[in-house]
């Protein structure tokens, strides 16, 4: 029986599981509702060190899983629905299987990008629709793209995308932006960014890849089409902390608070890694690094208990 549960199967979860397995503490990984995590929604990954030709997001995750399996990690396709962190061993209740007890838990459940909820947006995800400019911006050299959102993420993504795209249309549903003044000023000073305020995206056009979007004026209701090849969502992320609600310290947006420079959460024996505790960097490689930290912290903590 595994003593440790790793919740989540993104780069943070797999790296934690790999380190634990190689320390003779092979965990049980609950893969969650999106096995492989957010990287499975992207195509080419060119910024993960060690793969000079790049590789596909889903393939990277399959490789991580195989590496964990090689050293003894076991996997459950289930997702954790509720937890009792009030006493040890901790009790985890999966959606389908029986409740199980664990001495320690690594939470690596990630964050989910928010989407608009349009059918064609979902269909064209990874084919012109993206929620990560850092991951996918490079593929839009000299092309026209749009970014949706009025917060700091949208400003940052729009500004970043002007390194590649010939034009970036920033679409926001209201007249006023939510972003901080400094980020707004930077975006407004960039002559490749055009602001389309008081508009929302109502459809994404294209068969195999994005060829345009349909926008609607939120004041007049008037609709029109814009030809472009990329649509980036910058409308925020939601950390996947629902099952832990109230039992662990989070910030006001729901991200788990870790003790600075570590993966220790407010509950001894519960560690957090990856995007569930990081609203700032959100990269596969930073998630992997924090997964390693969580495994080392967890291993040392268990040793101290014995
Ligand atoms: P925010 O919640 O700040 O902004 C989300 C934006 O998306 C809002 O403008 C919102 O519109 C819009 N939006 C939400 N849902 C929809 C929808 N369904 N359709 C259309 N528009 C929608 O999220 P961010 O990710 O921008 O920022 C999160 C936090 O991270 C903030 O505290 C931010 O300051 C911080 N951050 C800091 C950065 C930096 O300093 N470098 C970079 C990125 C983020 P509306 O305004 O109408 O609600």
């Amino acid at each position: 029986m595994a003593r440790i549960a790793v919740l989540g199967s993104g780069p943070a979860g797999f790296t934690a599981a790999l380190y634990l397995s190689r320390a003779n503490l092979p965990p049980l990984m609950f893969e969650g509702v999106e096995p492989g995590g957010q990287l499975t929604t992207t195509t080419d990954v060119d910024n993960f060190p060690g793969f000079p030709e790049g590789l596909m997001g889903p393939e990277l995750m399959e490789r991580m899983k195989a590496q964990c399996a090689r050293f003894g990690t076991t996997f459950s396709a289930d997702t954790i629905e509720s937890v009792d962190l009030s006493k040890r061993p901790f009790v985890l209740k999966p959606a389908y299987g029986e409740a199980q007890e664990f001495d320690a838990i690594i939470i690596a459940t990630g964050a989910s990008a928010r989407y608009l909820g349009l059918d064609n947006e979902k269909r064209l995800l990874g084919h012109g629709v993206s929620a990560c400019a850092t991951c996918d911006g490079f593929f839009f050299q000299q092309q026209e793209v749009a970014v949706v959102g009025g917060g700091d993420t949208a400003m940052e993504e729009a500004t970043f995308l002007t390194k590649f795209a010939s034009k970036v249309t920033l679409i926001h549903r209201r007249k006023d932006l939510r972003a901080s003044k400094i980020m707004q000023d930077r975006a407004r000073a960039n002559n490749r960014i055009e602001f389309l305020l008081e508009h929302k995206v109502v459809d994404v056009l294209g068969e195999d890849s994005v060829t345009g979007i349909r926008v609607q004026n939120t004041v007049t209701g008037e609709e029109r089409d814009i030809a472009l090849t990329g649509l980036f969502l910058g409308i925020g992320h939601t950390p996947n902390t629902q099952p832990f609600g109230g039992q662990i310290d989070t910030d006001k947006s729901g991200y788990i608070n870790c003790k600075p420079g570590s993966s220790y959460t407010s509950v001894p024996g519960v560690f957090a890694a990856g995007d569930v505790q990081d609203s700032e960097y959100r990269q596969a490689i930073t998630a992997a690094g924090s997964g390693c930290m969580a495994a080392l912290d967890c291993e040392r903590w268990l040793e101290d208990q014995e």
Side-chain angles (χ1 to χ4, degrees):
M1 283 288 279
R3 297 176 62 194
I4 308 168
V6 172
L7 315 188
S9 54
F14 281 131
T15 308
L18 177 63
Y19 271 74
L20 289 172
S21 299
R22 295 190 77 255
N24 274 341
L25 290 165
L28 173 59
M29 174 184 282
F30 291 93
E31 293 180 88
V33 282
E34 191 176 63
Q38 288 187 69
L39 273 185
T40 58
T41 66
T42 183
T43 49
D44 301 80
V45 179
D46 280 337
N47 57 6
F48 201 86
F51 297 93
E53 286 82 31
L55 79 173
M56 302 296 273
E59 188 192 346
L60 178 60
M61 304 322 293
E62 279 165 27
R63 282 169 168 260
M64 288 191 192
K65 184 173 180 180
Q67 197 172 358
C68 292
R70 179 178 154 211
F71 292 103
T73 302
T74 48
F75 301 93
S76 163
D78 221 333
T79 185
I80 295 302
E81 219 166 50
S82 65
V83 300
D84 182 359
L85 306 180
S86 63
K87 56 183 186 314
R88 293 200 295 266
F90 303 116
V91 178
L92 300 189
K93 174 70 186 83
Y96 300 103
E98 297 283 302
Q100 293 183 57
E101 292 186 339
F102 295 92
D103 293 334
I105 299 172
I106 293 180
I107 301 175
T109 46
S112 302
R114 289 191 211 126
Y115 290 92
L116 299 169
L118 306 168
D119 289 343
N120 286 329
E121 171 195 41
K122 199 169 170 189
R123 185 173 60 79
L124 292 166
L125 188 60
H127 301 278
V129 175
S130 168
C132 178
T134 320
C135 320
D136 300 325
F138 185 79
F139 306 114
F140 294 86
Q141 310 275 353
Q142 294 310 314
Q143 299 178 41
E144 297 196 5
V145 303
V147 174
V148 186
D152 282 341
T153 297
M155 299 306 123
E156 193 169 65
E157 302 234 317
T159 305
F160 177 78
L161 285 165
T162 61
K163 287 178 199 260
F164 317 104
S166 52
K167 179 181 170 190
V168 179
T169 304
L170 191 129
I171 302 169
H172 179 43
R173 59 189 176 186
R174 294 186 298 125
K175 189 160 76 246
D176 301 314
L177 297 168
R178 182 181 292 274
S180 55
K181 183 162 184 321
I182 187 166
M183 304 281 280
Q184 286 191 37
D185 289 350
R186 197 173 300 156
R188 287 194 189 279
N190 190 319
N191 58 17
R192 287 200 192 184
I193 301 178
E194 187 178 298
F195 283 78
L196 184 61
L197 301 177
E198 296 182 299
H199 276 76
K200 64 181 183 181
V201 177
V202 290
D203 203 358
V204 188
L205 314 173
E207 280 305 314
D208 302 324
S209 62
V210 173
T211 56
I213 53 172
R214 183 159 300 150
V215 294
Q216 185 185 55
N217 186 308
T218 52
V219 182
T220 64
E222 191 188 325
E223 291 189 357
R224 68 183 166 97
D225 293 351
I226 301 176
L228 44 71
T229 52
L231 177 68
F232 288 82
L233 288 315
I235 60 174
H237 285 77
T238 308
N240 299 319
T241 43
Q242 300 82 347
F244 322 105
Q247 300 187 60
I248 201 160
D249 265 9
T250 63
D251 69 11
K252 63 177 185 341
S253 308
Y255 289 90
I256 294 177
N257 285 328
C258 285
K259 304 220 164 95
S262 83
S263 66
Y264 282 85
T265 69
S266 58
V267 180
V270 179
F271 305 85
D275 289 11
V276 74
Q277 52 85 56
D278 171 22
S279 60
E280 180 74 31
Y281 300 102
R282 302 197 285 235
Q283 300 302 299
I285 191 70
T286 50
S290 73
C292 165
M293 289 165 63
L296 297 178
D297 286 344
C298 180
E299 189 188 338
R300 286 172 195 154
W301 180 83
L302 280 170
E303 262 169 32
D304 287 346
Q305 306 304 302
E306 281 157 12

